[in-house]
Amino acid sequence: MKIGLYIVSSILFIIAVAVATYLINPGSYSFDILDIHLPKIPVAVWVALPVALLAIFSVIHMAFYGAKVFFANKKWRSDANKLEEGIYWSLIKEPTTITYYHPEIEKSASLLSFSTIEPKEEQSEQSSRLSSKLKDVLNVIYKIRKGEYVDLKKEKFAKHLSPDNEIVIENEINRLNHDPKYALKILDFKDRYDERVINLALDKLVETQDFYTIKKYGKEIGKERFFKLLQRVEKGEDIGFSKDMLRSFLEFYT
């Protein structure tokens, strides 16, 4: 029973007891306790008084344990939210340490502080029961797995991902595959990207750009990629090849 309903019911019960007693005995009564003379008041009040005291102590008891349960439930809800956070960080491959109120949860959930979660290849029907936060990050992961490029800044968790994060690397690779010109930005800001992304950017550069553009990164492409560049010339592609250009490239490797 809700405490408000209990208080109203108790007041009505006290009034009913007082009225019933007054109808039976409308007289008044007085007595002494420890040499203290109590005033003479109606018998109905004397009967209703202990009932009222019992009701008051019952309300205090209910309020105390209600508050205790409320704060206990609040801690459980807090731990549930923290567990969701732990799963979220493990899904995006950035596990972090989280402290829980209940040791029973922390014994198992602490595993998430140094582990990552790899979802199945396809979304299951059970994923519909997840929170919107987890569903959103799963959707991003599945899109990237399918080869799509996702603007992680719009997904509001890009700032939490490090350059060597597997999700970031796979997403950058997807972007390179869709937009080879993106290789130029990567090579101009190499310190922001993983080595695997940089190598793929060099491959895309050699596959799609002309000699004049590639010359800026001549030292970085290496001999093997340079030979691939010459293969494009052999196939008849007009990519700005000349003796002077060849000589300038050979200076990088001698």
Side-chain angles (χ1 to χ4, degrees), residues 31-43:
F31 58 93
D32 296 337
I33 296 179
L34 300 176
D35 297 330
I36 299 175
H37 182 72
L38 298 177
K40 190 175 183 179
I41 57 178
V43 174

Side-chain angles (χ1 to χ4, degrees), residues 123 127 132-146 148 150 155:
Q123 282 182 294
S127 62
S132 59
K133 183 175 184 177
L134 295 182
K135 281 194 287 189
D136 289 344
V137 72
L138 273 178
N139 286 334
V140 170
I141 292 172
Y142 284 124
K143 284 180 181 179
I144 293 173
R145 278 184 176 181
K146 291 177 181 177
E148 296 182 36
V150 179
E155 300 300 330

